[in-house]
Amino acid sequence: MSRPYKDYKIYCCFTLNRLVAELGINLYQPELESKLDHLRIDEVQGISKEEVKHEIRSNHFMTNKVIEKLVEDGLVTVDKREGRYQVRITRQGVLYIRRYNEFFLSMYAEQIRDHYRYRGLPQWAREAER
C-alpha cells in the first residue's frame, strides 16, 4: 500500500503550525491581531531547518522547496548564522495560518490524519475542527 502524496502546500501548513506552537500562543484566541503587535515575533528563536525537515517528515529537496515558498510569500524569515538556518514565522504567517487552517483541514483531511497517525492530531488541528 503506497502512502498518499503530499504536496508542498500541506507541508507549508505543517511548518507554519509548528512555528506558531513555538510562539506558545492560542492561534484561535479572540483579538489575536492586536495581541500580535505586542509580541516580538522577530525575537523568537524559531526552529532550525533540520526541525522543519523532521516536522514535515520529508527529504532535503522538499524541505528547501517549502522554506523557499514560505519566504517568497512573506510567511517566514530565515536567518543563516554560522552555517545554521533559523526559520521564524512572521506576523503575516500567523494570520495566514489562522485564516487557512480550516481550509487545509477540509482539503487535506486524509493527509493530515495520516501524517499525525502515530502522534495524534496536534492542538491546532483539534482547535480548527471545533
Side-chain angles (χ1 to χ4, degrees), residues 1-80:
M1 178 182 233
S2 66
R3 296 184 336 177
Y5 172 74
K6 296 177 193 154
D7 67 17
Y8 77 92
K9 293 175 189 171
I10 192 65
Y11 289 136
C12 289
C13 170
F14 296 148
T15 303
L16 289 172
N17 278 294
R18 169 66 193 281
L19 288 165
V20 167
E22 292 295 314
L23 294 175
I25 62 172
N26 176 354
L27 190 57
Y28 300 102
Q29 64 184 283
E31 301 177 28
L32 177 64
E33 286 187 47
S34 64
K35 293 176 182 177
L36 286 176
D37 294 334
H38 301 293
L39 285 177
R40 292 201 152 71
I41 293 177
D42 56 333
E43 293 178 7
V44 174
Q45 184 173 347
I47 62 176
S48 70
K49 190 174 177 180
E50 189 63 30
E51 288 173 296
V52 171
K53 183 178 171 183
H54 179 74
E55 181 66 26
I56 66 175
R57 291 190 272 151
S58 191
N59 59 31
H60 178 73
F61 173 78
M62 184 59 83
T63 301
N64 284 340
K65 185 176 179 178
V66 166
I67 292 172
E68 288 168 7
K69 180 64 176 157
L70 291 171
V71 168
E72 179 183 308
D73 292 346
L75 304 177
V76 303
T77 60
V78 178
D79 292 325
K80 182 179 178 186

Side-chain angles (χ1 to χ4, degrees), residues 80-94:
K80 182 179 178 186
R81 293 186 189 146
E82 301 171 9
R84 297 186 50 89
Y85 295 87
Q86 283 301 116
V87 181
R88 292 181 182 86
I89 195 164
T90 63
R91 182 181 195 279
Q92 182 180 346
V94 172

Side-chain angles (χ1 to χ4, degrees), residues 100-115:
Y100 289 105
N101 261 346
E102 190 174 319
F103 169 76
F104 284 122
L105 282 168
S106 67
M107 292 295 294
Y108 300 104
E110 180 183 337
Q111 293 93 334
I112 290 172
R113 291 188 196 305
D114 178 62
H115 189 79

